[in-house]
Amino acid sequence: MWVFQFPQSVQLPQYTTHFTPRTPPKPPACSFTIKPSATTTNTNNNRLIQSLCKQGNLKQALKVLSHEPNPTQHTYELLILSCGHKNSLPDAESVHDHLVNNGFDQDPFLATKLIAMYSELDSIDNVRKVFDKTRNRTIYVWNALFRALTLAGRGEEVLDLYRRMNKIGIPSDRFTYTYVLKACVASECLISLLKKGKEIHARILRDGCDSRVHIMTTLVDMYARFGCVDYASRVFSAMPVKNVVSWSAMIACYAKNGKPYEALELFHEMMLQTHDSFPNSVTMVSVLQACAALAALEQGKLIHGYVLRRGLDSILPVTSALMTMYARCGKLEVAQRIFNQVDKKDVVSWNSLISSYGIHGFGMKAIQIFKDMLYHGVSPSTVTFVSVLGACSHAGLVDEGKRLFDSMWKEHRIRPGVEHYACMVDLLGRANRFDEAAKIIEDMRIEPGPKVWGSLLGACRIHCIVELAERASSRLFELEPTNAGNYVLLADIYAEAQMWDEVKRMRKLLEAPKLQKVPGRSWIEVKRKMYSFVSVDEFKPQIEQVHALLIKLSKEMKEKGYVRQTKVVLYDLDEEEKERILLGHSEKLAVSFGLINTNYGEAVRITKNLRLCEDCHSFTKFVSRFANKEILVRDVNRFHHFKDGDCSCGDYW
Ligand code: ZN
Ligand code: ZN
C-alpha cells in the first residue's frame, strides 16, 4: 500500500533567480531642528566625517568629529552605522555621548539607528537606555526596540512592552505585528506564549491586516515553531496572495514537524501553481530535509539536479542540507564529495559531515573530522557537540565521549545543554555504565527533562535494567503524559524480564485514549515512488506476494539455522503465535517488498520511524546473506548497513 506518490517527472523551471537577503525596514528620516543652536548645514568637516565613514575609516572620522561643533543628523547616522560594522562598543558609546551633548537625544530617527546599533553589538542594556530616554516615541522607535529585543531572545519583554504600547494608544503597523509574532517564539517557555500569539492573531484579523502576505507568513512561522501544524496550514490556505516566502514557510513547517510527505507534496503543488516566484535556497533546504527524513534518494537526486540548474549549489545551507540528505539516504561517499567541493566551509558544513559519519557508526572518523575542524580554525557550536557525542555513542567510544564532554566548557566555553547530557547518558547507559550515567544526571545544573530520562530508559531497555527503568519512566510519565512510546519501552523491559503481570498492567495503561501511539512504520522508495508499511499485530495477508515471499524466506532461513527473537513480543503467547506477529513487523514487509522490486546488484533502502527490534535486525542480517542483497535500514537512532550476514552497527544500536 502506498500513501504518497511523487510524480515521476516534475517539470522544473530552468532559469535562475537571485537570492536577495531581507533587510529590516527603514524608518523615514525625520528632519526637524533639535535645538536652536544645532545647524544642519554640511560643513567641510561634516562632509569629511561622512566620507571617512563610507571608506570604513572610523578612527579618523572620530578624530575629525572632536573638532566639529555642529555635526548633522546624517553625520551621526553614518557614524552609528560605522560603529555597528566595526563592532566597537566603546566607539559606539562615545558617539552616543557626543550626540546627546549636541541635543540629538530626542531625535527619533537617530534613536532607531542607535537601537539597531546596540542590538548589533549585543548591548541590550544600552538598547533599553536609548528607548527609555526617548520621549518622542513614534512607532518606528517601538519597532526598532521590538526587533532588537526579539533578536536577543527576550520575547516576553517585547510582549510586555507591546501591551504598554497598546495602552498608550499607539497603533501597530505591519512591522510591529511581524516583530511581536516573532517575539512569541523568541523565548524558552513556548507554551505560555502560544496563547499570546493567538491573541495577536485575533488582533490582526480585527485590524484587517490578514491580507498582508508578510504578516500572515510570520504567523505561519510562529505556529510552525509551536508545532501547531494545523493552525499554520489553515492560515496558509486562507492567504489570498502567497509568495515564495510563504510557500517556503509552510513547507518548512511540515519538514520540521515530522511531516516530510506533506512537505514534498506541498513543494510539488508550489511548482505547479506558482508561475512567477520560484523556490529559493530556503525552500530547497526544507525540501532536502524532507527527502532526508524519508531516505528518498531518488527524489533527493531530482532536487539536487534542480538546485544545480538554479545555481543554488554554492549557498552553504543548501550544500549542508544536500550532504545531510545523501548521508541519511546511505550515500556517505557523496556527502563527503560535496563537502570536499565546498570552498569556505562554515560550522554547519562541518557539523553535517560529523553527524553523517556518526549515524553510520564511524565514531573515530567523526572525532577526526572534529579535530580537523578545530585545526582549520572553525569554532565548534553546541550542535557540533551533539553530533560528535552522538557519534561516540553510536560507536561505543565511552572514553573519547567523556573527554569531549569535559572539553566543552574547559576548552570551548560552551555550557552543556540538555541534549549533550542526553548524549552522555545514552553513551554511558549503552555501555552498561549505569552508575556513571546516574551520576551525570545527579550533577546536572539544569532540569534533566524528557530527553535525558528518555536516553536513560532507552539504555535500560538494551540491558534490561528494571529498577532504573521504572525510575526513569515515572519521571517521563509526568513530563510527557501523552507519549505512548515510554509505556511501550517499559512494557518491553518487563516482557524481557518475563514480568508478565507488569506487562499486562502496561498494556492496560496503554489503552488510555489520551495516549498518542506511534505505529511502527517503514518507508521504502522504489522507482521514485514512496511506499509505506505499517506494522500489523496480526499477520493478515495484504500484499500477497510480499507475504508469500516472507513466509518462504522465513522457512528456508529456519532450515539454515535462523532462530526467531520471540522475546520482543509483548504477549505471553505460544511460540508459533509470536512468530506470526513478528512476521508482520513493518520493516520485514518493506524488506520483502524491496527484494521483489529491486534489480540484481541494487541495494534496498528502508527508513523506520522507531528503533529496529532485535528480531527484525537478525532477520535482515540473515536475508542479506541468504538473498545476497545489500540492505540499508535507517531507524530512529542510526544507520544499519546489512551485507553478507553482518550489520555495520556490530549489533550495537
Ligand atoms: Zn521488528
Ligand atoms: Zn545494525
Side-chain angles (χ1 to χ4, degrees), residues 612 617 621 633 635 638-642 646-653:
L612 266 184
H617 197 268
K621 274 200 325 197
V633 182
D635 73 358
R638 58 163 296 149
F639 245 100
H640 302 265
H641 192 157
F642 297 94
D646 277 318
C647 179
S648 62
C649 76
D651 297 338
Y652 192 83
W653 81 103

Coordinates of all heavy atoms in Angstrom, one line a residue, residues 612 617 621 633 635 638-642 646-653, ligand 2:
L612 N 14.8 -0.3 15.5 CA 14.7 -1.6 14.9 C 14.6 -2.6 16.1 O 15.4 -2.5 17.0 CB 15.9 -2.0 14.1 CG 15.9 -1.8 12.6 CD1 17.2 -2.3 12.0 CD2 14.8 -2.5 12.0
H617 N 16.3 -7.1 13.2 CA 17.7 -6.9 13.0 C 18.3 -8.2 12.5 O 19.0 -8.3 11.5 CB 18.4 -6.3 14.2 CG 19.7 -5.8 14.0 ND1 20.9 -6.5 14.1 CD2 20.1 -4.5 13.6 CE1 21.9 -5.8 13.9 NE2 21.5 -4.5 13.6
K621 N 19.8 -9.3 8.8 CA 21.2 -9.8 8.7 C 21.2 -11.1 7.9 O 22.0 -11.2 6.9 CB 21.8 -10.1 10.0 CG 22.4 -8.8 10.7 CD 23.4 -9.1 11.8 CE 23.3 -10.2 12.7 NZ 24.1 -10.0 13.9
V633 N 19.1 0.1 6.4 CA 17.9 0.5 7.1 C 18.3 1.6 8.1 O 19.3 1.5 8.8 CB 17.4 -0.7 8.0 CG1 16.1 -0.2 8.8 CG2 17.1 -1.9 7.2
D635 N 17.1 3.5 11.2 CA 16.0 3.6 12.2 C 16.1 4.9 12.9 O 16.9 5.8 12.5 CB 16.0 2.4 13.1 CG 17.2 2.4 14.1 OD1 18.0 3.3 14.1 OD2 17.3 1.5 14.9
R638 N 20.0 5.4 14.1 CA 21.2 5.3 13.3 C 21.0 4.5 12.0 O 19.9 4.1 11.7 CB 22.3 4.7 14.1 CG 22.0 3.3 14.6 CD 23.2 2.6 15.1 NE 24.1 2.4 13.9 CZ 25.4 2.3 14.0 NH1 26.0 2.4 15.2 NH2 26.2 2.1 13.0
F639 N 22.1 4.3 11.3 CA 22.1 3.5 10.1 C 22.5 2.1 10.4 O 23.4 1.8 11.1 CB 23.1 4.1 9.1 CG 22.5 4.7 7.9 CD1 22.2 6.0 7.8 CD2 22.0 3.8 6.9 CE1 21.6 6.5 6.7 CE2 21.4 4.3 5.8 CZ 21.2 5.7 5.7
H640 N 21.9 1.2 9.7 CA 22.3 -0.2 9.7 C 22.6 -0.6 8.3 O 21.7 -0.5 7.4 CB 21.2 -1.1 10.3 CG 20.8 -0.7 11.7 ND1 21.3 -1.3 12.8 CD2 19.9 0.2 12.1 CE1 20.8 -0.8 13.8 NE2 19.9 0.2 13.5
H641 N 23.8 -1.0 8.0 CA 24.2 -1.4 6.7 C 24.4 -2.9 6.7 O 25.4 -3.4 7.2 CB 25.5 -0.7 6.3 CG 25.8 -0.8 4.9 ND1 26.6 0.1 4.2 CD2 25.4 -1.7 3.9 CE1 26.7 -0.2 2.9 NE2 26.0 -1.3 2.8
F642 N 23.4 -3.7 6.2 CA 23.4 -5.1 6.2 C 24.1 -5.7 4.9 O 23.7 -5.3 3.8 CB 22.0 -5.7 6.3 CG 21.3 -5.3 7.6 CD1 20.4 -4.2 7.6 CD2 21.4 -6.0 8.7 CE1 19.8 -3.8 8.7 CE2 20.8 -5.7 9.9 CZ 19.9 -4.6 9.9
D646 N 26.1 -9.6 8.0 CA 26.6 -8.8 9.1 C 25.9 -7.4 9.0 O 25.5 -7.0 8.0 CB 28.1 -8.6 9.1 CG 28.7 -9.8 9.7 OD1 28.2 -10.2 10.8 OD2 29.7 -10.3 9.2
C647 N 26.0 -6.7 10.2 CA 25.5 -5.3 10.1 C 26.6 -4.4 10.6 O 27.4 -4.7 11.5 CB 24.3 -5.1 11.1 SG 23.7 -3.4 11.1
S648 N 26.6 -3.2 9.9 CA 27.7 -2.2 10.2 C 27.6 -1.7 11.7 O 28.6 -1.2 12.2 CB 27.5 -1.0 9.3 OG 26.3 -0.4 9.6
C649 N 26.5 -1.9 12.4 CA 26.4 -1.4 13.8 C 27.1 -2.4 14.7 O 27.2 -2.1 15.9 CB 25.0 -1.2 14.2 SG 24.1 -2.7 14.5
G650 N 27.5 -3.6 14.2 CA 28.1 -4.5 15.1 C 27.2 -5.0 16.2 O 27.6 -5.2 17.3
D651 N 25.9 -5.0 15.9 CA 24.8 -5.3 16.9 C 24.8 -4.4 18.1 O 24.4 -4.7 19.2 CB 25.0 -6.8 17.4 CG 24.9 -7.8 16.3 OD1 24.2 -7.4 15.3 OD2 25.4 -8.9 16.4
Y652 N 25.2 -3.1 17.9 CA 25.3 -2.2 19.0 C 24.4 -1.0 18.5 O 24.9 -0.1 17.8 CB 26.7 -1.8 19.1 CG 27.0 -1.0 20.4 CD1 27.2 -1.7 21.6 CD2 27.1 0.4 20.4 CE1 27.5 -0.9 22.8 CE2 27.4 1.1 21.5 CZ 27.5 0.4 22.7 OH 27.8 1.1 23.8
W653 N 23.1 -1.0 19.0 CA 22.3 0.2 18.5 C 21.2 0.5 19.5 O 21.0 -0.2 20.4 CB 21.7 -0.1 17.1 CG 20.5 -1.0 17.1 CD1 19.2 -0.6 17.0 CD2 20.4 -2.4 17.3 NE1 18.3 -1.6 17.0 CE2 19.0 -2.7 17.2 CE3 21.3 -3.4 17.5 CZ2 18.5 -4.1 17.3 CZ3 20.8 -4.7 17.6 CH2 19.5 -5.0 17.5
Ligands
ZN2 ZN 22.6 -2.9 12.9

